[in-house]
Amino acid sequence: MSLKVVLFDFNGVIVNDESIHQALLDEALLSENLRPDPNDYKQLCLGRSDRASLTNLLQKRGRSPDARSLERLIRQKAIAYQQRLESLPKIPVYPGVEDLIYKLRVAKIRIGLVTEALRTEVKWVLNRVNLWQYFEVVVGGDETSQSKPDPQAYCLAIDRFNQLDPSLKLVAQDCLAIEDTPVGILSAKNAGIMVVGVANTYPFHMIQRQANWTVDYLHELEVDRVRQVLAGHQEWENQDREILENIN
């Protein structure tokens, strides 16, 4: 195992916008004459796509949303999201994001992004903060049929890297994911990818129980240390394989 690619999540990892998404989902419910519940967001929405979030929220209230209604609500939310960000003095990017991207580029580790946000939202935000060009592969929540914690989006990101550069021969064990929610962490682990949990959205102790590494801030992530651990895992696997071969 060697660290070839780091895959960032977006909401809650790169941009501090979870409160905006919660407010917009509440507004979507109100537009349907339904009452929001502040406890629903973490339970039903955090780490999930707009489609999955809205479906969960509506089903909890006894609604069975059809495809047309969902598309309408998703479009309305996307428009409102951009308007909300445009009204802010600056895009709320988390401290340490640019530093970590710089460290990864110096270390010649490739960078991708796996998110449940709409690809258009991601591109708009990252272009505004001059970071879009650093992400070779981006998988948005509108490009997969399954939402996290399903591993589909992470598997698609690996496939896209290999299509982009077949010589990379990328496998899950060569990747590292950065996530901020239990749903996202589980998605990466379901794909066979080790995970750094960043305590932006949940307390450190909660994320620590689920991620392979946990940091308070992205600038604390020690890239060389992660590389050593991944290399160590490869050595242990090789030793186990040799032992099994000798036994057989």
Side-chain angles (χ1 to χ4, degrees), residues 96-240:
V97 171
E98 293 184 45
D99 288 343
L100 179 55
I101 289 174
Y102 175 77
K103 287 194 290 187
L104 294 173
R105 294 178 64 213
V106 169
K108 299 189 183 307
I109 296 170
R110 302 171 85 154
I111 304 172
L113 193 147
V114 177
T115 178
E116 292 305 323
L118 301 178
R119 184 184 177 90
T120 53
E121 291 180 356
V122 175
K123 186 174 183 179
W124 183 83
V125 171
L126 293 181
N127 272 323
R128 289 287 294 267
V129 296
N130 298 315
L131 293 177
W132 173 257
Q133 66 269 26
Y134 301 126
F135 293 89
E136 293 186 66
V137 166
V138 173
V139 177
D142 50 337
E143 297 182 271
T144 58
S145 60
Q146 301 296 320
S147 179
K148 295 176 182 178
D150 190 279
Q152 183 185 47
Y154 275 105
C155 295
L156 179 57
I158 292 172
D159 288 343
R160 287 186 177 177
F161 265 107
N162 285 324
Q163 292 170 13
L164 187 66
D165 181 2
S167 68
L168 188 61
K169 298 180 180 179
L170 187 66
V171 294
Q173 292 77 12
D174 297 328
C175 299
L176 181 72
I178 303 177
E179 288 279 359
D180 67 305
T181 66
V183 167
I185 291 170
L186 184 57
S187 174
K189 285 190 168 183
N190 284 340
I193 298 172
M194 287 192 171
V195 191
V196 171
V198 58
N200 288 337
T201 306
Y202 286 82
F204 186 97
H205 70 274
M206 290 183 63
I207 295 297
Q208 189 177 36
R209 292 199 296 264
Q210 301 173 63
N212 301 99
W213 294 272
T214 310
V215 294
D216 281 309
Y217 307 101
L218 286 181
H219 69 79
E220 297 174 345
L221 180 59
E222 299 178 13
V223 176
D224 289 340
R225 175 60 180 157
V226 173
R227 276 180 152 168
Q228 291 171 9
V229 172
L230 288 175
H233 273 281
Q234 183 64 64
E235 291 177 5
W236 299 334
E237 287 188 353
N238 291 340
Q239 290 173 3
D240 289 345

